[in-house]
């Protein structure tokens, strides 16, 4: 189930201006639990691909005072640093304070966007290497959607492996379509180069619905299936670098696996072999 709505003059709505407001330009619903959207980008906003910002909406009025407070959550910017707009990828939580409202936004609506990007999933936090692994579950794919469209990714590495683990096949569609578009888009070929886009190795898995590759990525790493499937040697601190964004369980388990291969966790101020986004889970 996918549907996209572009913004037009006719669909733009006259709504009260929010603090740090940006206008929604496109919304696409991928499943009944997942959607992505694009908004205008503040002219002054500078960020590194892989970083996140706080976005949100105003909460319901207080029953006694009538005052409203902003509901803000950390969202990775899914678009690359060079894009004119900002893209986000979100779950829908029906009783969630923010996403119960955010899932209903339409082109022309406004959202709050705090223009202070931060995050650990950036190239500066890693030492030089030959191969980069992006490990994602669910909407944790978002920062890698940015990094996969970032020329520096391909300047830094000879091979780019993106793993994405979800429960059902439909939940993989955002990432699958994005990678397909990256490889076929003339702009991306011109910007990054067809030879560099050929470096991408996409490895999707599901844990509930039947698909060509079943299982948690952690299990497939531990039993060596990933390396066999991709025809590569095991992960090594000499050559491999990694970024992790997903559920708390994935983050914890992948950390242990990577450290078992001899990799050390890095940070912006202390680059090492791998980094984990701790601000949120997807």
């Amino acid at each position: 189930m996918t549907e996209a709505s572009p913004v037009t003059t006719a669909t733009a709505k006259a709504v009260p201006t929010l603090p740090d407001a940006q206008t929604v330009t496109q919304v696409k619903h991928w499943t009944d639990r997942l959607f992505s959207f694009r908004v205008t980008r503040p002219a002054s906003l500078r960020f590194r691909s892989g970083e996140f910002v706080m976005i949100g909406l105003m909460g319901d009025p207080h029953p006694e005072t009538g005052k409203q407070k902003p509901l803000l959550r950390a969202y990775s910017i899914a678009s690359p640093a060079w894009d004119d707009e900002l893209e986000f990828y979100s779950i829908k939580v029906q009783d969630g304070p923010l996403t119960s409202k955010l899932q209903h936004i339409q082109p022309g609506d406004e959202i709050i966007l705090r223009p202070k990007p931060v995050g650990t999933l950036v190239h500066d936090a890693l030492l030089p290497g030959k191969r980069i692994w992006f490990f994602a579950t669910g909407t944790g794919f978002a920062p890698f959607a940015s990094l996969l469209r970032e020329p520096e990714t391909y300047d830094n590495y000879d091979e780019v492996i993106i793993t994405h683990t979800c429960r059902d096949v439909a939940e993989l569609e955002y990432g699958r379509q994005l990678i397909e578009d990256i490889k076929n888009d003339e702009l991306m070929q011109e910007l990054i180069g067809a030879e560099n886009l050929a470096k991408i190795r996409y490895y999707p898995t599901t844990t509930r619905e039947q698909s060509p590759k079943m299982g948690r990525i952690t299990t497939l790493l531990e039993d060596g299936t990933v390396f066999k499937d991709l025809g590569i040697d095991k992960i090594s601190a000499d050559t491999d670098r990694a970024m992790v964004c997903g559920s708390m369980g994935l983050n914890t388990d992948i950390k242990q696996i990577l450290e078992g291969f001899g990799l050390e966790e890095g940070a912006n101020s202390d680059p090492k072999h791998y980094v984990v986004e701790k601000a949120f889970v997807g």
Side-chain angles (χ1 to χ4, degrees):
M1 172 182 124
T2 64
E3 54 184 81
S5 305
V7 67
T8 66
T9 303
T11 58
K13 303 175 184 177
V15 295
T17 299
L18 300 174
D20 293 317
Q22 296 301 320
T23 303
V24 177
T25 61
Q26 187 181 73
V27 181
K28 187 163 186 173
H29 295 274
W30 297 89
T31 72
D32 58 359
R33 296 186 64 251
L34 297 166
F35 71 110
S36 61
F37 57 98
R38 293 176 67 86
V39 304
T40 53
R41 177 175 177 170
S44 61
L45 178 63
R46 299 288 180 270
F47 70 94
R48 295 174 295 175
S49 293
E51 290 187 316
F52 67 87
V53 289
M54 303 297 290
I55 67 172
L57 298 167
M58 295 302 291
D60 294 327
H62 188 278
E64 296 178 2
T65 65
K67 292 183 178 180
Q68 292 176 278
K69 292 184 178 180
L71 295 170
L72 300 172
R73 296 289 185 273
Y75 270 75
S76 286
I77 303 172
S79 47
W82 51 263
D83 202 326
D84 292 336
E85 294 185 333
L86 301 177
E87 181 181 337
F88 299 97
Y89 184 42
S90 178
I91 58 171
K92 305 176 187 179
V93 180
Q94 300 310 320
D95 57 354
L98 176 58
T99 60
S100 61
K101 301 174 182 292
L102 193 64
Q103 65 182 287
H104 299 297
I105 58 173
Q106 299 291 329
D109 288 346
E110 290 184 336
I111 67 163
I112 303 167
L113 189 149
R114 297 281 193 253
K116 296 180 180 179
V118 292
T120 57
L121 302 182
V122 293
H123 288 305
D124 293 343
L126 295 177
L127 295 170
K130 294 183 178 180
R131 181 166 54 207
I132 181 74
W133 295 77
F134 296 144
F135 293 108
T137 58
T139 54
F141 191 93
F144 306 132
S146 174
L147 286 157
L148 285 168
R149 290 179 278 188
E150 171 57 57
E152 185 181 356
T153 299
Y154 306 92
D155 291 339
N156 290 358
Y157 299 99
D158 298 330
E159 196 169 12
V160 179
I161 300 174
I162 169 72
T163 80
H164 192 199
T165 299
C166 295
R167 296 180 307 171
D168 302 320
V169 173
E171 295 173 345
L172 295 167
E173 185 61 17
Y174 173 81
R176 187 203 66 77
Q177 185 169 312
L178 182 135
I179 290 172
E180 181 179 293
D181 290 346
I182 288 175
K183 290 187 174 183
N184 296 324
D185 184 76
E186 290 185 5
L187 172 62
M188 293 302 300
Q189 290 183 7
E190 182 178 341
L191 179 67
I192 294 176
E195 71 285 356
N196 282 325
L197 294 176
K199 296 177 179 180
I200 299 174
R201 308 286 302 276
Y202 175 46
Y203 194 84
T205 75
T206 57
T207 57
R208 186 171 66 181
E209 184 181 359
Q210 190 68 35
S211 72
K213 181 56 61 176
M214 301 286 296
R216 296 181 77 227
I217 190 62
T218 47
T219 302
L220 300 173
L221 283 167
E222 289 175 324
D223 66 14
T225 300
V226 173
F227 309 119
K228 181 180 178 181
D229 288 343
L230 295 176
I232 60 177
D233 296 329
K234 290 186 177 181
I235 291 172
S236 165
D238 293 334
T239 56
D240 293 87
R241 303 294 175 259
M243 295 185 181
V244 186
C245 188
S247 65
M248 191 62 70
L250 173 88
N251 292 355
T252 301
D253 292 346
I254 288 277
K255 278 168 59 78
Q256 293 178 347
I257 291 170
L258 293 176
E259 289 175 4
F261 285 122
L263 276 63
E264 298 179 31
E265 185 173 3
N268 279 269
S269 59
D270 185 22
K272 291 289 180 63
H273 307 115
Y274 79 91
V275 286
V276 178
E277 187 52 78
K278 303 180 182 70
F280 49 88
V281 296

